[in-house]
């Protein structure tokens, strides 16, 4: 297989991840970098899924994207397009992209462009819309559509101009290293990273003479208000890092984790593009006032790419402030969680050092073999969506993948290597 042992192959994958050099270089219309995004084509989060099997929030996101694109004039016509199979769906992961929650991405939505300069590959993710009624949670009212148009017409172009003033773009590893030392874990808590991003770009945005003052002010205010803005940058970064690692094409390191409301899917290095799936779980956590577990949607989104690179729930110890928000207790519980995650990981990332963990690097390289051997599955921090489109986020918590994903992956890889059961 090119490597004497599986461990040797896994180590090559680990070194590829550590060597990654992700830079945020631009914000562009999705169709300009994803040629598959033609008219009447939408991207979605998770492994492949049919429209009729999507949960209500994901279907609502589809309606909103169609209204944003102008493919239909109202909800009724949009749903007719969807129910008559006139919309083609592609998983974000199949076109170098990732998407939060429903992950629904349409041709004219602006996407962040992250280039991994070590390998030369790019990855894309739409921008964070903020909180409340937003497309990623299934909302599609007039306010949501108007915000999407503002992001297309103002936010995207302004950030593009600002990023292009930087020689080579913005070094994401540097921002992550700063923010993980300031209490972020990059899934549920991105406050420090979002502020660090604003610190880098606000002086540049303020000096853009070819942008109207009102627009500069709007963009800076939006970035200041959006605590989770960096999450989408982290997602594109994780995708760029792991897609480069997938070029090793050997080993049992998990290279993607995602969910579509129906199935949880993983990929491992040695099995390339193949998905290994199992029924998705519903997050366990804390709910906003007036909501309970009965209101919760099953887990959705590509944001678990953050856990794949060892942050998010895997780095719970880095973010003591978020532990109670996701219902995991206090500092000692966070410490126990991160310590447990080392049992299913191969190494640690020296680029992402965690002061609250005695300056250890974040967990790195989920080994599907170790998951199967120990029965310990990765912990994922996540937002909890209402099961009815439009309500938005109703809480936050943690979720685990079904172990059968890992069992299927290991069985398939063993067969590939010629081992007989």
């Amino acid at each position: 297989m090119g490597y004497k042992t599986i461990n040797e192959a896994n180590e090559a994958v680990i070194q590829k991840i550590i060597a990654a050099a992700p830079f945020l270089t631009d914000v562009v219309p999705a169709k300009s970098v994803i040629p598959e995004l033609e008219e009447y084509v939408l991207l979605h989060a998770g492994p492949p899924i049919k429209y009729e099997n999507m949960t209500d929030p994901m279907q609502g996101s589809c309606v909103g994207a169609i209204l944003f694109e102008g493919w239909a004039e109202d909800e009724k016509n949009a749903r007719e397009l969807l129910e008559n199979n006139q919309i083609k769906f592609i998983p974000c992961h199949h076109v170098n992209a990732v998407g939060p929650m429903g992950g629904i991405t349409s041709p004219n939505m602006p996407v962040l462009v992250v280039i991994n300069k070590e390998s030369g590959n790019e990855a894309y993710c739409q921008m964070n819309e903020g909180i409340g009624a937003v497309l990623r949670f299934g909302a599609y009212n007039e306010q949501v559509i108007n915000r999407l148009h503002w992001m297309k017409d103002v936010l995207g172009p302004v950030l593009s101009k600002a990023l292009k003033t930087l020689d080579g773009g913005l070094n994401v590893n540097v921002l992550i290293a700063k923010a993980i030392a300031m209490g972020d874990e990059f899934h549920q808590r991105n406050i420090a990273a979002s502020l660090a991003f604003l610190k880098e770009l606000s002086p540049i945005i303020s000096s853009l003479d070819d942008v109207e003052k009102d627009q500069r002010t709007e963009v800076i205010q939006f970035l200041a208000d959006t605590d989770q803005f960096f999450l989408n940058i982290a997602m594109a970064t994780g995708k760029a890092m792991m897609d480069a690692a997938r070029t090793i094409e050997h080993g049992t390191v998990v290279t993607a984790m995602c969910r579509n409301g129906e199935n949880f899917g993983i990929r491992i290095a040695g099995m390339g593009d193949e998905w290994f799936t199992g029924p998705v779980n519903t997050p366990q956590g804390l709910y906003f006032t007036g909501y309970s577990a009965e209101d919760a949607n099953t887990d959705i989104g590509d944001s678990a790419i953050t856990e794949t690179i060892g942050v998010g729930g895997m780095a719970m110890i880095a973010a003591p402030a978020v532990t109670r928000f996701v219902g995991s207790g206090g500092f000692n519980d966070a410490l126990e969680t991160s310590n447990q995650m080392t049992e299913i990981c191969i190494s640690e990332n020296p680029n992402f050092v965690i002061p609250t963990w005695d300056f250890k690097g974040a967990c790195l390289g989920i080994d599907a073999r170790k998951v199967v051997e120990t029965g310990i599955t990765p912990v994922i921090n996540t937002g909890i969506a209402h099961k009815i489109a439009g309500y938005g986020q109703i809480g936050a918590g943690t979720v685990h993948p079904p172990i059968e994903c890992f069992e299927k992956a290991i069985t398939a890889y063993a067969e590939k290597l010629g081992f007989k059961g």
Side-chain angles (χ1 to χ4, degrees):
M1 66 177 182
Y3 297 92
K4 292 180 180 179
T5 65
I6 293 175
N7 288 344
E8 187 179 309
N10 284 342
E11 182 58 29
V13 174
I14 293 297
Q15 292 307 315
K16 192 76 171 173
I17 299 170
I18 292 174
F23 281 73
L24 176 64
T25 60
D26 208 348
V27 179
V28 300
K31 65 183 181 183
S32 69
V33 287
I34 304 173
E36 294 87 350
L37 262 183
E38 302 170 339
E39 195 169 10
Y40 299 105
V41 176
L42 295 176
L43 307 183
H44 68 77
I49 188 173
K50 295 180 179 179
Y51 171 74
E52 58 263 32
N53 295 329
M54 293 179 179
T55 60
D56 198 54
M58 205 176 213
Q59 291 186 346
S61 295
C62 296
V63 171
I66 289 171
L67 295 177
F68 164 74
E69 290 291 340
W71 298 338
E73 58 185 23
D74 55 30
E75 179 184 351
K76 179 177 179 293
N77 290 332
R79 290 196 181 273
E80 286 177 356
L81 286 175
L82 291 160
E83 291 163 5
N84 292 330
N85 296 317
Q86 292 179 262
I87 302 298
K88 178 182 178 182
F89 288 99
I90 303 173
C92 293
H93 267 289
H94 290 193
V95 290
N96 307 318
V98 280
M101 300 308 290
I104 304 301
T105 306
S106 66
N108 288 293
M109 289 181 184
V111 293
L112 302 153
V113 179
V114 172
I115 297 177
N116 179 355
K117 294 189 177 182
E118 186 273 333
S119 296
N121 64 300
E122 295 184 357
Y124 318 108
C125 184
Q126 58 188 259
M127 290 187 289
N128 194 284
E129 306 159 78
I131 60 174
V134 289
L135 187 80
R136 68 182 183 275
F137 280 105
Y140 50 88
N141 60 33
E142 185 178 3
Q143 178 187 20
V144 172
I145 304 306
N146 287 341
R147 185 192 301 114
L148 290 174
H149 279 289
W150 176 80
M151 294 174 75
K152 173 178 73 74
D153 298 333
V154 178
L155 181 61
V158 170
L159 289 181
S160 175
K161 288 180 179 180
L163 289 167
K164 286 177 180 175
T165 68
L166 300 172
D167 185 19
L170 196 60
N171 189 325
V172 184
N173 270 353
V174 170
L175 290 182
I176 291 177
K178 286 181 180 178
I180 204 167
M182 297 165 70
D184 278 357
E185 42 74 64
F186 309 103
H187 200 157
Q188 271 304 313
R189 193 177 197 277
N190 284 276
I191 296 174
S194 297
L195 289 175
F197 177 76
L198 178 62
K199 174 180 174 291
E200 295 293 332
L201 287 198
S202 57
I204 300 172
I205 294 170
S206 298
S207 65
L208 293 174
D209 295 332
D210 57 344
V211 176
E212 294 181 10
K213 182 180 178 181
D214 288 350
Q215 292 186 346
R216 299 198 302 265
T217 301
E218 288 174 3
V219 168
I220 291 174
Q221 188 64 57
F222 179 83
L223 294 176
D225 291 341
T226 309
D227 289 345
Q228 283 286 72
F229 191 83
F230 192 84
L231 169 59
N232 299 49
I233 299 173
M235 288 173 60
T237 297
K239 176 65 171 170
M241 292 169 65
M242 298 312 291
D243 273 0
R246 290 173 65 227
T247 62
I248 300 297
E249 298 182 344
H250 299 287
T252 54
V253 173
V254 176
T255 56
M257 296 194 295
C258 58
R259 49 268 205 255
N260 60 23
E262 179 186 35
N263 288 310
F264 194 108
I266 73 165
R267 284 171 165 172
I268 64 171
M271 294 303 294
D273 294 340
E274 188 170 350
W275 289 107
F276 301 95
T277 63
V280 75
N281 294 317
T282 300
Q284 304 294 310
L286 299 180
Y287 291 86
F288 302 156
T289 302
Y291 299 104
S292 70
E294 293 183 0
D295 303 308
N297 195 68
T298 49
D299 203 28
I300 52 176
D302 290 333
S303 53
I305 193 71
T306 56
E307 277 78 13
T308 313
I309 63 169
V311 292
M314 307 288 288
M316 194 87 81
I317 188 59
V322 86
T323 54
R324 291 194 174 182
F325 180 59
V326 298
S328 65
F331 181 86
N332 288 333
D333 294 305
L335 177 60
E336 182 180 350
T337 296
S338 290
N339 283 341
Q340 186 181 53
M341 291 301 100
T342 64
E343 296 184 40
I344 58 172
C345 290
I346 294 169
S347 185
E348 59 184 60
N349 194 332
N351 299 318
F352 306 150
V353 173
I354 304 174
T356 48
W357 208 15
D358 199 23
F359 294 91
K360 289 173 59 175
C363 294
L364 186 59
I366 299 169
D367 187 344
R369 294 177 304 173
K370 294 188 176 189
V371 173
V372 174
E373 289 167 3
T374 64
I376 299 170
T377 53
V379 62
I380 297 166
N381 286 349
T382 186
I384 304 175
H386 198 290
K387 62 185 178 183
I388 299 174
Y391 278 80
Q393 184 174 0
I394 60 170
T398 59
V399 71
H400 289 262
I403 197 166
E404 66 187 85
C405 298
F406 303 88
E407 292 171 341
K408 289 177 179 178
I410 291 304
T411 299
Y413 191 51
E415 291 174 355
K416 177 181 176 180
L417 296 181
F419 296 111
K420 303 297 181 182

